[in-house]
Amino acid sequence: MEKQDCVEPIIDTFEERQSHMCIKGGGLSLPECDKPGIPGTVTQRTCVFGGARIVLMPITDSIHLVHGPIGCASCTWDIRGSKSSDSKLYKKGCSTDLKEKDIVFGGERKLYDSIIELHKLHNPGAIFVYATCVSGVIGDDINSVCKEAQNITGCRVIPVQSEGFQDHNKTKGHWIGCDALIDNVIGTSEPDQDSITPFDINIIGEFNVAGDLWGIKPLLEYLGLNIVSTVTGDSKIEDIAKSHRAKLNIVQCQKSSNYLAKKMKKKYGIPSIKVNFFGIESTITSITEIAEFFDDEEMKNRANNLIENGLKHLDNKLEEYRERLNGKTVALYVGGNKAWSLVRAFEELGMEVIMSGTKNGIKEDYENIKNIVKEGTLIVDDANSNELRKLLKKLKPDLLISGAKEKYIALKLGVGFCDFNHDRISAFAGFKGFLEFAKEVDGAVSTSVWNVVSTSIYDE
Amino acid sequence: MSVNVYKRDRQVIIDPLVTCMPLGAMWAVLGINHGVPLVQGSQGCSTFARYHLARHFREPIEIAVSSFHESTAVFGGKKNLNISLKTLIQRQDPELIGVITTCSSEIIGDDVYGFVDSNKQELKELGYDNTEIIPINTPSFAGSHFAGYDNAIDALIKNLATPNENIECDNNINIIPGLLNPGDVNEIKHMLDSMFVPYTMLTDISETFDSPLNPKKQKTPYFGKGGTTVNDIKNISASKGTISIAKYAKTGAETLKQTHKVPAVTDNLPPIGIKGTDKFLKTVNKLSGYDIIDTLMTERGLTLDLMADVSARYLAGRKVVIFGDPTLVTGLTSLVIELGMEVVMVTTGSEEKTFPTDIESISKNQSIDVFSEGDLKVVEDYVKDKDNGVELILGSSEARFINYDTGIPLVRFGFPVYDRVGYHSQPIVGYRGAKRVVEMVTNEVLAKYYEEKHWKLQQ
C-alpha cells in the first residue's frame, strides 16, 4: 500500500494531520503524537479526570467521590466493566453536585459533609476524592479537606488531583491515579509475617475488565506465586497498602501502570517484568519470564506443565475459528497498550492487522507498534471520527477493535466490531480467555448478518 | 389523601438520576438536519456524553469539542472557539452549529456571544457563511440535562425564528417534544399525520437517533438521517401555536409567544396514558382546527380494551415506584393510576418546582411519597424497605441492581436504557404507546407474580 493512496484522501482538508499517519515501510518515521487535538473535531479522546478514574475505580471496597457538578459523575459512574468477587461499593456514582452557589462561595464545606456522610453510610475501605475542571478553577483545596475528613473519620480519604483540562492526553490522568496510590496507600500497612513468602508478587495494570484477572490468577497460583495485590482490578485497599513488600511487580497494562511500577522500583526496590496475557505466544512468554525471574526449578517445571496443558487444551477448538478467520483483516483503534499487545494475538488467529492506532499514544507506544506490525501497516495517531470513518471505508477491514463510541461508526459502515474496552463482556486473558477471544472475533467477522447487509432487494 | 413531599436527607448524591446541561443541549441540537453540537470545554465533556448517548441509542453520536487545556483556563477559550468553528465548517459543512458552553467555560467567563459574533464576520470573509452558529449557555452547575435541553430550544427559537408575513401558514403547529425517544417522537408524528396537521418538531431526533444501516450509502462526514431543517425553524413564527410536551422545556414556547405572538400550551399533561393523550389531541384540534379522526379513536378503543382485560385481575392495587425525567414520571403516574395500580413513591433527580403539585393533581385519592431532588439511593432505600411493599419499578437501566437484589420487576423506560434493546425505538406516548406500556407492565407482573402451575390465572 502506498502512502499517498491511503493517507492523503483521508486528510484532504488538513495538512497538519498528515504527519499523524504513516505506513510501516522502508523510510518509516513514527507518526507525530502526544499533541493537542485540533479544536472543533469529533475527538475520540477523553479527559484527565476520566484517565484517573478508570485506573482507581476497580478498587472494589472504596467509594469514588467526584467533586464537581453532577455531569462529571453521572456520565462516568460504573463506566468500567471491572468485576468484583466481593464488594460492589466501587460501582456507586457519588457526586458533591456543585451548584451555582458553591461556584461562588466554594465547595469545600459541601465536600467535607459529603465525605462524612459517605463514611457513615458505607464505611468504605477508602474514599477517593476526584478534582474536576470546576473544583480546579474555583480553587477548592481538596487536599486539606481530605486530610481533615481523614482525621475525623479514621477512614482513608485520598485526594486525586485530576482536573479534566490539565492535559490533552488522558495518560496523565492514569499517572495522577497512580500517584494517589503511591503517595497515600502503598506502604501504609505491613503484611503479617506469616503471610510473607519468597514468591510474593503484585499484578499492576490489570483491571479485571469482564473478569480477565480470573483468567490470569489461576495460572500464577499454579506456578506457586503468592499474589499480594492487584492494582487495581478486584482489589481491596488494604491489600494495595501492603503491596510494597512484594518481590516482583508484573505489569499488564504498561500504558497506565508502568509509571507506577517504576515508582515502586525507586521507592521500594521492587523489580518489574512487563507481561501480556492476551494471545498464546504472549501468555507463554509471560509465564516463562516470571519463572525465570524467580529461577526456581520447581516453578520452571510447573511453568512447562502449564504451557503444555494450556496448548493441549486450545488446539482442537481453535482450528474451527482459525479456518474461518484465516486471511481476514483487522484494524485496531484502542488505548496505547493494546495497539501493539494485541497484534500477535490476531496473527495467531490467522488474521492480518492492517491498521493500528491509538487515541493517546506516546512515542514509546508507537515504537512498540512499529516493531510488531508488518510492513505496509498503517499507523495512526489520534484519528477523529471523520478520519476513522474514511479509514474504514478506504481500508475495508473485516473487523474493527475499539470501544463503545467507535462501535456504531464501524457497524454503520458494515464493518464487524469487537469491543476491547470497558464494555466488553467476555474475559480474554490466558489460554481459556484466548478461546473466548477467538469465539467473539469469529462471531463479529463471520456473523451471517453481514451476508444480509450486503444484499439488495433487487438481488435474485 | 394527597402527596407527601420529602427532601433527600443528605448532601452527597449517590447514584445520580440526572446528568448535565450540555448533554440536554446536545440532544436538542442533534435533532436538527445536519446540525452539530460544538462543546466549548474539555474533551471529557463531549466524550462522556457521546458515550452515554451512544450506549442508549446504539448509534454513532457526532459531537465536536474545542478541547480546553490548562492554558485555556488561564487565557480563555476565544482562540479555541475560533479554530473550532473554522475546523468544523471546513470539515463537516453543517447547516447549524450549536456552541454549547460547559462549566469551565462559564466559570472563566468566556463571552461566547461575543466570540461567536466576532467569528461570524471572519467566517463570512473566508466565504463560510452558510452555517448558522447558535450560542447556548449550559453551565452544568446551574441545572440538569432538562434545563440544558430547554436552554438549547430557547436559543434556537431566539436566534432563528424570523417574523415573516409572507410565510404561508397553513395551520402549522410547533411541537417541543422534550427528551423523548425516537419511538415517542414518531408516535406524536403519527398522531399529527393521521389528523393531516402540518407541524414543526423542535427538534426532531426520531431519525437522527435511529438511523438505517446502509453501508453503500454511508457518507462522510456522518449526519444521521432526518432532523428538523433550519428553514423550518426560521418559519415557526407563523405557526398557529406551540405545544411543549414537557413542562421543563417550555421557555422556547414562551419566548415565541412574547416575540411573535404564537400561542403556547405548556402546562398540559404529557400525552402518556388515556387522559394525557386525550388532552394532547384536543389541544392540537383547538390550535390547528383539524379534526381528531376515527383512526385515532380506534387506537384509543384498542388500548382501553386491553386495559379492561388486564386491570382488575392482574394489576389493580399493585404498588409501583416510578423515577426518571419529571415529564415521564408525571405521565406514567397518570397511566398507572388509570390501570388501577397504586403509585406509592415517585422521584426525579432535579428540582422541578411544580413536580409535587403535578403529581398531586393526578394522585386523586392515593397517597404518594414524592422525593424532590432524589437519587437512586433514595429509590433503593425505599424499595428495599419491606414495609413499603413495592411490587413494580418503572425507571431507567440504572435500577438494574435493585431489580437483581430484590427480584422486584423493573420495567425500563426513559434515559438511559442500555441493557435492553428496543426501548428507544418504541413509543410510550399516545394511545399505542399506552397499549405498549400496559403490555410490558402486565407481562412483567405475570412473569413475576403468577406461577406456571396456576396457569389458569393467566387467562
Side-chain angles (χ1 to χ4, degrees):
Chain A
M1 184 161 31
E2 291 297 319
K3 182 174 174 181
Q4 54 270 32
D5 280 0
C6 177
V7 176
E8 278 170 16
I10 308 300
I11 47 174
D12 47 6
T13 46
F14 284 93
E15 282 184 17
E16 62 198 284
R17 287 285 306 154
Q18 298 242 9
S19 54
H20 290 265
M21 299 183 192
C22 65
I23 307 265
K24 179 170 175 175
L28 171 93
S29 58
L30 294 172
E32 199 173 338
C33 61
D34 201 14
K35 294 272 155 48
I38 304 172
T41 51
V42 180
T43 184
Q44 304 304 111
R45 286 177 165 181
T46 172
C47 61
V48 169
F49 157 69
R53 181 154 196 175
I54 60 168
V55 163
L56 296 172
M57 189 189 151
I59 305 175
T60 58
D61 64 342
S62 297
I63 284 274
H64 301 271
L65 171 62
V66 181
H67 185 42
I70 193 73
C72 301
S74 73
C75 286
T76 62
W77 65 297
D78 198 16
I79 197 173
R80 193 151 217 200
S82 295
K83 291 204 172 175
S84 167
S85 47
D86 188 7
S87 177
K88 299 276 187 290
L89 207 48
Y90 69 118
K91 280 183 176 283
K92 295 219 164 290
C94 302
S95 169
T96 51
D97 188 21
L98 291 179
K99 295 279 174 64
E100 215 152 8
K101 192 177 83 211
D102 310 308
I103 306 304
V104 180
F105 299 108
E108 290 177 7
R109 179 77 220 177
K110 209 170 184 178
L111 174 59
Y112 179 80
D113 290 346
S114 298
I115 297 171
I116 303 291
E117 285 171 353
L118 285 170
H119 176 251
K120 262 192 201 151
L121 276 170
H122 295 293
N123 194 21
I127 299 174
F128 287 92
V129 175
Y130 298 80
T132 57
C133 295
V134 170
S135 55
V137 177
I138 64 175
D140 274 358
D141 182 359
I142 69 164
N143 271 307
S144 66
V145 176
C146 288
K147 213 169 175 182
E148 204 184 326
Q150 177 160 319
N151 287 339
I152 294 288
T153 58
C155 171
R156 294 173 191 275
V157 184
I158 301 161
V160 186
Q161 215 67 55
S162 55
E163 292 85 358
F165 52 65
Q166 271 191 57
D167 200 71
H168 57 271
N169 198 331
K170 77 164 180 185
T171 306
K172 182 155 186 203
H174 299 329
W175 296 345
I176 289 166
C178 292
D179 278 335
L181 293 177
I182 195 97
D183 294 343
N184 302 286
V185 183
I186 296 168
T188 55
S189 283
E190 286 300 331
D192 293 338
Q193 282 303 316
D194 312 343
S195 69
I196 295 175
T197 78
F199 304 117
D200 292 343
I201 63 159
N202 299 312
I203 310 174
I204 311 281
E206 167 52 56
F207 302 108
N208 201 26
V209 174
D212 269 342
L213 175 67
W214 300 332
I216 300 171
K217 229 174 164 176
L219 306 181
L220 300 174
E221 282 168 353
Y222 179 80
L223 291 179
L225 296 163
N226 175 40
I227 300 159
V228 179
S229 77
T230 310
V231 186
T232 53
D234 195 21
S235 64
K236 290 196 169 145
I237 200 81
E238 275 305 312
D239 295 334
I240 298 176
K242 292 169 187 160
S243 63
H244 61 300
R245 294 295 179 220
K247 315 296 182 293
L248 174 71
N249 280 332
I250 62 169
V251 188
Q252 170 79 20
C253 176
Q254 285 132 54
K255 175 83 180 163
S256 62
S257 305
N258 213 26
Y259 175 85
L260 180 66
K262 279 185 194 161
K263 286 209 155 178
M264 287 178 80
K265 162 95 178 150
K266 202 172 167 196
K267 200 165 173 184
Y268 302 106
I270 306 175
S272 67
I273 298 181
K274 294 173 180 174
V275 294
N276 176 15
F277 287 94
F278 291 121
I280 303 171
E281 186 194 304
S282 306
T283 303
I284 293 173
T285 314
S286 300
I287 293 170
T288 315
E289 283 183 6
I290 293 168
E292 270 168 20
F293 173 85
F294 284 102
D295 200 18
D296 178 89
E297 281 310 310
E298 168 73 19
M299 194 183 288
K300 282 181 186 168
N301 285 336
R302 282 168 172 266
N304 288 336
N305 278 343
L306 191 60
I307 292 163
E308 211 174 297
N309 283 336
L311 289 176
K312 216 183 282 169
H313 183 73
L314 278 176
D315 270 354
N316 304 331
K317 301 183 181 176
L318 260 186
E319 277 320 303
E320 193 191 326
Y321 299 130
R322 274 188 177 136
E323 264 168 39
R324 272 196 296 269
L325 294 172
N326 192 32
K328 303 278 187 197
T329 53
V330 189
L332 302 172
Y333 191 63
V334 283
N337 188 61
K338 285 172 250 171
W340 47 271
S341 66
L342 296 181
V343 173
R344 282 278 175 273
F346 282 106
E347 288 171 358
E348 285 164 357
L349 291 176
M351 300 175 80
E352 189 192 348
V353 174
I354 55 171
M355 175 191 127
S356 183
T358 101
K359 304 157 204 185
N360 297 293
I362 53 178
K363 198 162 165 257
E364 199 186 322
D365 296 317
Y366 288 106
E367 271 163 2
N368 286 329
I369 296 174
K370 184 188 80 173
N371 290 337
I372 201 154
V373 297
K374 282 188 179 152
E375 300 271 306
T377 306
L378 178 69
I379 306 174
V380 189
D381 171 67
D382 183 28
N384 52 58
S385 76
N386 254 359
E387 289 169 355
L388 200 55
R389 204 167 264 121
K390 285 187 179 181
L391 286 167
L392 292 176
K393 278 168 101 168
K394 182 85 187 169
L395 299 174
K396 296 192 177 64
D398 294 301
L399 183 69
L400 174 73
I401 301 289
S402 197
K405 296 189 303 297
E406 294 82 5
K407 177 174 180 178
Y408 303 100
I409 292 176
L411 295 180
K412 276 274 189 287
L413 289 164
V415 173
F417 178 86
C418 179
D419 199 310
F420 217 113
N421 211 329
H422 314 309
D423 287 318
R424 123 178 103 88
I425 48 176
S426 308
F428 292 160
F431 294 109
K432 276 187 192 161
F434 190 72
L435 268 183
E436 271 304 309
F437 169 71
K439 187 179 165 194
E440 202 150 311
V441 166
D442 180 43
V445 173
S446 316
T447 173
S448 50
V449 167
W450 295 133
N451 299 337
V452 192
V453 166
S454 60
T455 61
S456 136
I457 193 168
Y458 303 108
D459 291 349
E460 287 283 312
Chain B
M1 301 281 257
S2 62
V3 302
N4 318 305
V5 182
Y6 299 96
K7 274 212 93 102
R8 175 167 41 86
D9 59 359
R10 66 195 131 73
Q11 182 79 260
V12 68
I13 298 277
I14 303 177
D15 299 348
L17 297 180
V18 291
T19 182
C20 58
M21 280 177 96
L23 187 136
M26 294 166 198
W27 190 304
V29 173
L30 285 166
I32 291 181
N33 183 263
H34 286 214
V36 182
L38 168 65
V39 177
Q40 173 78 342
S42 305
Q43 284 159 181
C45 297
S46 75
T47 301
F48 289 125
R50 286 180 69 208
Y51 171 76
H52 218 37
L53 291 165
R55 248 183 355 158
H56 175 81
F57 294 112
R58 296 179 194 259
E59 290 288 330
I61 303 290
E62 298 289 280
I63 298 162
V65 63
S66 63
S67 296
F68 273 24
H69 302 309
E70 205 146 52
S71 61
T72 327
V74 181
F75 302 112
K78 187 174 181 179
K79 194 175 149 201
N80 288 56
L81 186 62
N82 185 297
I83 302 170
S84 294
L85 289 172
K86 269 189 256 177
T87 308
L88 198 50
I89 294 174
Q90 199 178 351
R91 272 208 155 175
Q92 322 260 77
D93 191 23
E95 289 280 316
L96 180 143
I97 298 172
V99 180
I100 294 168
T101 67
T102 57
C103 304
S104 43
S105 68
E106 290 280 347
I107 299 173
I108 62 175
D110 270 1
D111 171 19
V112 253
Y113 293 94
F115 296 172
V116 166
D117 272 349
S118 59
N119 268 301
K120 272 184 183 163
Q121 193 53 39
E122 193 189 330
L123 290 166
K124 205 173 178 183
E125 282 160 18
L126 287 168
Y128 300 139
D129 51 1
N130 295 324
T131 305
E132 295 286 346
I133 305 167
I134 314 286
I136 304 165
N137 283 100
T138 48
S140 188
F141 49 77
S144 63
H145 57 290
F146 325 133
Y149 178 90
D150 190 34
N151 282 8
I153 299 292
D154 189 40
L156 290 169
I157 289 173
K158 272 187 183 138
N159 285 280
L160 294 175
T162 37
N164 192 342
E165 304 284 314
N166 301 322
I167 302 169
E168 214 172 298
C169 173
D170 198 24
N171 301 341
N172 192 73
I173 62 167
N174 309 315
I175 307 281
I176 303 174
L179 295 150
L180 291 181
N181 276 324
D184 296 316
V185 175
N186 275 331
E187 188 61 23
I188 294 171
K189 286 159 79 170
H190 156 74
M191 291 189 281
L192 297 170
D193 288 340
S194 303
M195 292 169 69
F196 305 102
V197 177
Y199 58 89
T200 302
M201 198 64 74
L202 280 168
T203 60
D204 185 355
I205 49 79
S206 62
E207 288 176 293
T208 58
F209 281 164
D210 197 5
S211 254
L213 178 78
N214 193 345
K216 282 178 197 146
K217 286 191 176 173
Q218 184 68 72
K219 286 183 185 145
T220 306
Y222 176 83
F223 288 107
K225 201 172 168 267
T228 311
T229 65
V230 169
N231 218 28
D232 282 345
I233 306 179
K234 284 184 176 167
N235 292 342
I236 58 169
S237 58
S239 296
K240 285 284 179 193
T242 307
I243 302 174
S244 176
I245 303 281
K247 273 195 174 176
Y248 56 74
K250 64 180 179 182
T251 313
E254 281 163 359
T255 301
L256 200 60
K257 188 179 169 188
Q258 278 161 20
T259 53
H260 297 92
K261 300 195 175 61
V262 178
V265 181
T266 58
D267 56 356
N268 264 359
L269 260 177
I272 299 175
I274 300 296
K275 279 182 197 157
T277 308
D278 287 353
K279 219 168 172 189
F280 173 75
L281 292 179
K282 278 192 268 182
T283 310
V284 172
N285 160 267
K286 208 170 142 197
L287 289 175
S288 68
Y290 287 82
D291 293 333
I292 304 166
I293 64 157
D294 280 350
T295 325
L296 292 173
M297 289 308 100
T298 306
E299 288 173 11
R300 188 179 192 272
L302 286 169
T303 305
L304 286 172
D305 186 58
L306 176 66
M307 289 168 77
D309 289 347
V310 298
S311 165
R313 187 150 199 181
Y314 311 120
L315 306 179
R318 292 203 183 272
K319 294 183 173 175
V320 186
V321 158
I322 309 175
F323 71 89
D325 288 12
T327 304
L328 298 184
V329 173
T330 318
L332 282 169
T333 300
S334 173
L335 171 53
V336 165
I337 289 174
E338 285 169 5
L339 284 169
M341 300 175 90
E342 192 184 329
V343 179
V344 286
M345 185 271 220
V346 294
T347 185
T348 181
S350 69
E351 192 193 1
E352 299 298 320
K353 294 254 160 29
T354 62
F355 181 64
T357 46
D358 290 344
I359 294 293
E360 185 163 23
S361 70
I362 304 162
S363 72
K364 295 282 154 60
N365 52 2
Q366 293 194 9
S367 172
I368 304 179
D369 294 333
V370 179
F371 284 81
S372 63
E373 283 192 276
D375 55 17
L376 198 62
K377 169 90 176 140
V378 166
V379 178
E380 187 175 353
D381 289 347
Y382 196 94
V383 170
K384 286 186 174 171
D385 184 344
K386 291 220 161 56
D387 290 346
N388 292 323
V390 178
E391 295 172 277
L392 192 72
I393 308 164
L394 269 58
S396 73
S397 290
E398 308 289 19
R400 69 197 186 286
F401 287 117
I402 304 177
N403 166 233
Y404 303 155
D405 291 352
T406 61
I408 297 170
L410 167 67
V411 181
R412 287 158 179 80
F413 84 99
F415 176 82
V417 176
Y418 45 74
D419 62 341
R420 293 289 186 273
V421 296
Y423 281 71
H424 74 275
S425 57
Q426 297 297 321
I428 64 166
V429 305
Y431 301 124
R432 298 195 303 188
K435 185 159 180 280
R436 182 173 159 260
V437 175
V438 178
E439 287 161 0
M440 288 195 298
V441 165
T442 312
N443 286 336
E444 287 293 341
V445 167
L446 285 172
K448 170 74 187 176
Y449 299 104
Y450 293 88
E451 293 169 38
E452 207 181 338
K453 61 185 176 186
H454 299 138
W455 64 275
K456 277 186 181 169
L457 284 173
Q458 294 175 24
Q459 289 174 17

